Structure formats: C-alpha cells, structure tokens
Amino acid sequence: MPIRVPERARRGRTRAAALALAAVLSAAVPGCGGPGPADRGAARTLGAGPDTGPGTGAAATRQADGRHTEAALRAAVRRLMAEGSAPGAAALARDGDGTRFASAGLADLRTGRRIHRNDRFRAGSITKTLIATVVLQLADERRLGLDDTVEEHLPGLVRGRGNDGRKITLRQLLTHTSGLFDFAADQRVARRLSRPPTAAPLTPRQLVRTALAHRPRFAPGAAWHYSNTNYVLLGLVVQRVTGRPYAAETERRVLRPLGLRGTSFPGARDTLPTPHGRGYAPDADTLRDVTTLDPSAAGAAGEAISTLDDLARFFGALLRGGLLPPAALRRMRDTTASDGRYGMGLFPVRLSCGVTLWGHNGQINGSYAQVVATSDGRRVLAYRLNTEARPAAAAERALLKAEFCRT
C-alpha cells in the first residue's frame, strides 16, 4: 500500500518502482580522507555521553576529537537522509578509537520505529565482494585459474546470439569485462522485481539464459561494462569447483571465520530476518513498502542480507589481509582492465584530499548501502538508506568528508 512521502522526501529524486537490482556502480566521490590506526575498540553509539570524565593532556585531546568526530558523523547522516527520498539513514564507522553508529529518520513509517544498529537489510551488490573473495581464495589454492574459460567449468552454458563461454575467462567475469548482457536490465526481470513475489524462484541458470537472449555488448576483454550476469556465473563456478552452493561455501570460508552472524544468503526466502525495519520504493510523491522481495532474482550478484557491523568487519578484515594473501589482494585492487573503475569485487573511491578508499555499494529494491575503507583496512565506513534511490551526491561527499577528512 503506498504511503505518502513527507515534503522532505519529495524534494529527493524519485525512481521507478521496477528499478533493476544492484546494477548501478558508484562513481568516484570527491572528498577528503586519510588513514587511521588499527584497533577495533569498544562500540559507542552516537549521542551517548563520553566514557570518562574530563581529562588532561593527550587524553583530553582525544576525547575532544572523539566528540567532534561523532557530531560530524551524526550531522552528515542527517543530511544524507534530508537531501534524499529515504525515510531513514544510518552509518557505522570503525577505526582505532572504536566503533561509532549514527542514524536519522525512521526504519518503519507506520510504527515510527527508528533504525537500530543490528538491523538486517538487503546488501545488494555488496554480495559481489563476498563472491570475489571466495573465487580468489580458490585461485590461490589452485583449484581454479583466473584465466580459465567459463566453458572449462560450465560446459555449453554460455552459447548463442554471439555469446561464447569458450572466449570468456573468469578474470573477465570478476572485472566486468566479459561483455555479457546484464540480466537485471531485462524488462522481464525488472517487472518481476516490481511486484510481490508470487512465481517460482528464479534459478541462476534461468538468469544466465535471460542474459544470453541478448547479444553481448562487446567482445570479451574489449571494454568494461558492469553486468550482474558475471557474478551469477561465478556463483555457478564456485559450486562446480567445490561441490557446494556459493552461499554455503561463502559461509564456510568468510562468514563463519569472521563471526558474521548477521549476514545470510536467503535463497528463495522473501522475508528479512529479525530485527529489521522496512524497505521502501520511491514513486512520485509516495513510498511503497517493498520489504517482501524474491531474492532469487539477484542470486550471487546481490542476494546477501547483512548488518552495518558485519559489513564493516568484513571489509576491514579483507583489506587488512585477513582473507587473502598479499598477491591476491593486489589482484583484487588492480583496476587496469577497467581503466581505473573496478578491480575484482572492489572499486576505488578517490577523495580530493589524496586518499583512495576501496569498497562496493549495493542497490536493490528498498535498500541502498555502501562500504568504503582505507587501503589498509584500518578505517571503515558502512552506511545505508531504506530506499534504493541513491543519496544526493553532495550529501554522500559530506558523509565521506566527515569520516575521512579529519586533521
């Protein structure tokens, strides 16, 4: 049932209800930033009082800096919500001073519930970073090669209308240089996402066949174009190599070792685990509740559900070298094939003060999220809104500046 959007939200950009899942790659966002020390520290919620009383010397300076940082992050999250169409927004930052959380607006327009720190939400294309990590682990174990062709692992699957898996490598899938059509741009998939789930779940092979009904955009390796089809194929490769579905293998290799208990792969389950708020789709001057969603239309390209805490912990561990050896992590951040736009499940965000962050975003009906971190993984920022409409560029820059442009 549509819900009337407040005047604040009507000023934001509107988006068609049938927006395809997780297909938009964040552009580099100008701003400022710099690295920080490594230490998970104790969690703090923005707005809470300081942990200790007034101090002197270095301790007092750190305390004053912490209050300033908290206030800046809180103000940036409020702006992120105010200048967009989302009813609510939240951000979580991790660095050597601890963990800070800020939220603004509402998680549920009917009940007035606010966004909680441990809320589950759909992470969209951030799923790709999880899948890329597993593929690179398997490559490091020599269970597959990045220059293997798709045909070697999935014989006969990628054929027809100029598509040929014998000429596409796993490296090209990881870097979005395969040329394969993005199944999320197919109108049949878009229409399915815009309606409540009623039909049987889509299988990965069905999603691939949807893409193969279209001619490729270019010859493999000739250019760069973001395509969800690439990562659905990588999910099938993981299953072929390991004998386990990509969700089970990712849980075994990443989620369980890092203790990411708020992250899951729902399969065909169309509801969110508790606790959670609601997801909304902006349409003209209304917001439509789209919390119930068939995630099979995303698969290995965008199926995951997570929390801000889990995403920050995952990206921090990944970039600190806790999941991949140095050579594999360098490959993950090599953007040569995409002219600087995308590596393997990671993309760079270049800030105006000279620091390059690494991360990924996720955009799926009812949810927009992004995670960025310094190259050493010691400072991480994860943030989200409860619509798929991207935040205003200026507000997103202000949020990055509040966290990474400290002096």
Side-chain angles (χ1 to χ4, degrees):
M1 181 178 191
I3 298 169
R4 186 68 56 181
V5 180
E7 179 62 30
R8 169 198 56 77
R10 287 204 295 270
R11 292 196 298 266
R13 301 186 304 275
T14 60
R15 190 71 61 91
L19 178 71
L21 62 98
V24 180
L25 176 65
S26 283
V29 182
C32 306
D39 183 4
R40 289 175 58 185
R44 279 184 297 175
T45 300
L46 289 188
D51 295 333
T52 61
T56 58
T61 301
R62 285 194 300 271
Q63 189 179 92
D65 288 345
R67 286 195 296 268
H68 172 75
T69 303
E70 290 180 356
L73 184 60
R74 184 166 57 242
V77 170
R78 287 174 178 165
R79 180 178 176 184
L80 194 72
M81 185 202 69
E83 295 187 10
S85 57
L92 184 139
R94 299 174 68 91
D95 59 20
D97 295 325
T99 303
R100 290 160 282 113
F101 172 76
S103 69
L106 299 176
D108 189 323
L109 288 173
R110 292 202 180 279
T111 66
R113 178 185 183 275
R114 296 180 64 83
I115 296 178
H116 299 164
R117 174 172 166 168
N118 61 341
D119 276 355
R120 273 67 168 170
F121 59 89
R122 301 190 190 281
S125 272
I126 297 173
T127 307
K128 292 180 175 68
T129 313
L130 291 162
I131 298 301
T133 300
V134 172
V135 172
L136 287 167
Q137 287 180 345
L138 291 169
D140 185 62
E141 296 164 10
R142 301 186 184 279
R143 299 179 66 180
L144 56 78
L146 297 185
D147 293 317
D148 293 351
T149 65
V150 174
E151 180 75 12
E152 289 176 62
H153 295 283
L154 304 170
L157 179 60
V158 179
R159 296 286 181 88
R161 293 192 59 82
N163 300 287
D164 190 345
R166 295 169 296 184
K167 299 178 181 179
I168 299 171
T169 66
L170 303 188
R171 186 187 302 274
Q172 290 164 345
L173 297 181
L174 285 161
T175 57
H176 293 295
T177 55
S178 70
L180 291 170
F181 181 84
D182 182 1
F183 69 81
D186 185 276
Q187 288 304 304
R188 290 168 296 178
V189 176
R191 284 195 297 271
R192 178 157 180 163
L193 280 168
S194 70
R195 297 192 296 264
T198 54
L202 293 169
T203 68
R205 288 176 180 267
Q206 286 176 313
L207 295 174
V208 171
R209 285 195 289 271
T210 297
L212 297 179
H214 301 265
R215 295 193 63 80
R217 295 180 64 93
F218 47 80
W224 180 87
H225 181 74
Y226 189 82
S227 173
N228 289 285
T229 307
N230 294 320
Y231 276 73
V232 168
L233 283 166
L234 287 169
L236 289 169
V237 170
V238 168
Q239 181 165 355
R240 178 59 67 94
V241 170
T242 66
R244 286 179 288 270
Y246 64 82
E249 192 66 13
T250 306
E251 181 179 359
R252 187 177 77 85
R253 289 173 171 268
V254 180
L255 306 187
R256 204 177 302 149
L258 294 181
L260 305 183
R261 296 181 180 86
T263 302
S264 60
F265 291 85
R269 188 180 71 243
D270 58 21
T271 58
L272 288 169
T274 56
H276 67 82
R278 311 299 295 176
Y280 298 96
D283 186 10
D285 63 346
T286 64
L287 285 173
R288 189 161 55 91
D289 191 318
V290 293
T291 309
T292 302
L293 177 74
D294 175 9
S296 68
E303 174 192 348
I305 291 168
S306 194
T307 68
L308 291 177
D309 263 303
D310 274 14
L311 293 178
R313 288 169 62 192
F314 164 58
F315 275 79
L318 174 64
L319 290 165
R320 286 195 303 270
L323 294 168
L324 293 171
L329 193 53
R330 284 195 297 272
R331 283 192 290 273
M332 201 173 197
R333 294 190 300 221
D334 183 355
T335 61
T336 305
S338 65
D339 294 327
R341 288 173 288 192
Y342 199 92
M344 296 181 178
L346 288 174
F347 61 80
V349 178
R350 300 176 179 91
L351 307 183
S352 63
C353 49
V355 168
T356 297
L357 305 175
W358 291 91
H360 211 291
N361 69 348
Q363 190 171 3
I364 190 168
N365 295 45
S367 179
Y368 176 84
Q370 180 153 276
V371 191
V372 290
T374 52
S375 59
D376 58 8
R378 298 183 180 207
R379 291 178 60 187
V380 189
L381 176 68
Y383 54 99
R384 57 169 292 231
L385 297 95
N386 51 2
T387 75
E388 69 266 23
R390 292 191 58 180
E396 202 163 16
R397 283 196 300 269
L399 177 59
L400 292 175
K401 182 177 180 179
E403 183 56 30
F404 295 102
C405 286
R406 301 186 233 162
T407 57

